[in-house]
Amino acid sequence: VRQVHREQPGPVLVIGTDAPTLAGDLLTAAATTLREGADAVLGPALDGGYYLAGLARPIPAVFGIDPLLWGGDGVLAATQQQLYDVRVRWQLLPTLRDLDTPEDAAALLADPALPAVIAAHLVPSAVQS
């Protein structure tokens, strides 16, 4: 984030690769939130993590949580605490489901927001095994 911000000042959005319903409107909302004065924006995932971290400027505390928490259900809460501790203005985006488990895949198949090109790769037989 620091390097990207140095090369291209302005908001930086870090997105996960496992949130298949993340659409352009949420990316636009995140960037707009940052341009309108928030220091950070988080996109919460249903599993307790997040699919997006947006920063108006580098804030090392955002990614400074206990390394043992990464990948678990406490990532979002720990990151929110970090933001609170460094006293920055932040907001949350709508919650999305990310794709970590066969149960997530099954739930995503029922989500009308799932792009068809991704749904084609989440065939029910593979989801259930």
Side-chain angles (χ1 to χ4, degrees), residues 8-117:
Q8 184 67 46
V12 174
L13 302 179
V14 179
I15 61 171
T17 59
D18 62 348
T21 59
L22 174 58
D25 60 333
L26 285 177
L27 299 175
T28 299
T32 299
T33 298
L34 296 170
R35 286 190 184 102
E36 290 177 349
D39 297 304
V41 61
L42 297 172
L46 283 174
D47 64 2
Y50 55 86
Y51 60 86
L52 177 147
L55 304 169
R57 59 181 167 74
I59 304 171
V62 170
F63 304 109
I65 66 172
D66 181 337
L68 297 176
L69 294 175
W70 287 107
D73 62 4
V75 174
L76 178 66
T79 303
Q80 289 173 303
Q81 185 63 51
Q82 291 285 93
L83 291 169
Y84 176 77
D85 289 348
V86 296
R87 294 184 169 95
V88 297
R89 296 171 310 233
W90 58 277
Q91 291 187 26
L92 291 176
L93 294 171
T95 301
L96 296 180
R97 179 179 299 279
D98 58 5
L99 179 56
D100 297 319
T101 67
E103 293 78 20
D104 292 334
L108 282 163
L109 279 170
D111 187 337
L114 183 68
V117 68

